Amino acid sequence: MLRWHRPLMLSSGLMALLAVALLVPFVVDERTLDGMPLWAKPLKFAVSVAVYSFTWAWLLSLQRRDRRWGRWAGTVLAVAGVAEVAVIVFQAARGHRSHFNASSPLDAALFGAMGLMIIALMLANIVAAVAVLLDRQADRPTTWAVRLGLVISTLGLAGGGLMLGPRPGQSLAGGIIGAHTVGLPDGGPGLPLLGWSTAGGDLRVGHFVGMHALQLLPLVPLALAALSRRMPVLAPERVRLGLTLTAGGGYAAVFALTVWQALRGQPLIQPDAVTLAAAAAVLVAVLAGAALSLRPGPRRADAGDVTKITASAATAGAVR
């Protein structure tokens, strides 16, 4: 029986309700901040933390052995996530930036507090990941999907550190320390709702892709198991394991590619020839991995074959 982590479930439910509530100011408040609707960032973070908390509640429920330190790590994840969103909502209500803002003592203190929350979140993420990884799941495809999702999501979370630290021309006197845009100041043209820069590199892309490996990769073996009922080629565990590992490797490559693209100051929607070539190489590798996974395995002897082999051996013995 699954034992859902209560603080994480509470965090997920609270953030889901907050996201619904934030739809009202998002629609009716016409104010903007850094070129985006004022309430877009709180809405995005509320949705993200709701999904993140629910996923961790599910992952921790998979433990066959209840580890108190793992559940404590889950509680830290829940508290840190809710606290970070609370600061973001508070700053939006004031019409102020929540991240990279040191324009006043209060803004600097809140951004510093968020930094501590992120550190706590990352450490708790690692501890909770170890707790989950110590247990083998129902089958090998699911086990490896969870493992890869945890590793990539931890790297995605750590990727947020690339946004910290002063950029050229920034100082405490200027009130802004750090940025998510590479090559340009924050606040330029961006994708609708997401806000990812369409004029320069944006480190939020890799951060988003990496963190959500935790939600997406475990869905792969579940989908393959469901499809195997209608597609016999997917029935062998060997095939589903190969496809799961291929999906995990492809996802990790996409994560690395988005970070690399952003660090080169290149917008996500305007890849150059080098980026396109790298993406094509990733696609070819994924297709090759899928093809290898789908190859027929060695034929196993069925009951009839065993009977024939036994009879042949008996006959040969009688002749001798």
Side-chain angles (χ1 to χ4, degrees):
M1 181 177 179
L2 296 181
R3 295 183 59 186
W4 292 88
H5 192 281
R6 290 183 180 178
L8 283 167
M9 289 301 294
L10 181 61
S11 168
S12 180
L14 182 62
M15 290 297 99
L17 290 174
L18 178 62
V20 173
L22 288 173
L23 287 173
V24 176
F26 176 75
V27 172
V28 303
D29 194 337
E30 297 180 354
R31 289 179 295 169
T32 61
L33 183 64
D34 290 335
M36 289 292 295
L38 178 63
W39 295 98
K41 189 169 189 174
L43 177 60
K44 288 187 297 182
F45 269 75
V47 172
S48 179
V49 172
V51 175
Y52 188 76
S53 297
F54 180 82
T55 304
W56 266 114
W58 169 66
L59 286 171
L60 289 172
S61 75
L62 298 178
Q63 296 182 99
R64 297 177 184 177
R65 178 182 174 186
D66 189 21
R67 298 178 176 86
R68 182 176 298 179
W69 50 273
R71 299 189 71 79
W72 272 109
T75 300
V76 173
L77 287 172
V79 172
V82 171
E84 183 181 10
V85 174
V87 173
I88 294 171
V89 171
F90 176 73
Q91 287 292 73
R94 298 174 65 220
H96 288 210
R97 278 183 168 206
S98 54
H99 289 77
F100 319 126
N101 189 355
S103 57
S104 73
L106 177 58
D107 291 321
L110 289 173
F111 182 46
M114 290 178 66
L116 294 176
M117 295 172 201
I118 293 170
I119 292 173
L121 189 73
M122 184 170 177
L123 292 176
N125 189 95
I126 294 172
V127 172
V130 171
V132 174
L133 292 175
L134 287 175
D135 280 328
R136 188 181 182 89
Q137 305 308 321
D139 54 24
R140 290 190 300 162
T142 303
T143 298
W144 278 101
V146 170
R147 287 174 178 174
L148 292 171
L150 288 169
V151 171
I152 298 171
S153 68
T154 301
L155 292 175
L157 185 62
L162 296 172
M163 307 178 200
L164 303 177
R167 298 290 192 270
Q170 291 183 344
S171 66
L172 286 174
I176 300 296
I177 297 294
H180 47 69
T181 306
V182 178
L184 294 171
D186 285 347
L191 294 175
L193 185 59
L194 294 171
W196 297 342
S197 178
T198 56
D202 200 313
L203 295 167
R204 291 175 296 182
V205 181
H207 185 54
F208 176 88
V209 172
M211 280 190 64
H212 289 286
L214 192 61
Q215 288 83 43
L216 296 177
L217 286 181
L219 296 177
V220 174
L222 295 178
L224 291 174
L227 289 172
S228 66
R229 298 166 187 167
R230 296 186 178 182
M231 302 174 64
V233 69
L234 299 177
E237 184 183 78
R238 171 191 60 82
V239 172
R240 289 182 280 112
L241 175 61
L243 291 174
T244 299
L245 293 175
T246 299
Y251 197 100
V254 170
F255 162 64
L257 182 60
T258 56
V259 174
W260 177 58
Q261 183 183 14
L263 289 173
R264 292 160 57 220
Q266 188 178 113
L268 175 68
I269 61 174
Q270 297 178 25
D272 62 11
V274 176
T275 303
L276 289 174
V282 171
L283 178 60
V284 169
V286 168
L287 292 176
L292 288 173
S293 300
L294 292 169
R295 285 191 312 171
R299 182 174 177 269
R300 294 182 178 181
D302 58 21
D305 293 332
V306 173
T307 301
K308 291 177 182 178
I309 292 172
T310 303
S312 298
T315 302
V319 171
R320 286 199 297 268

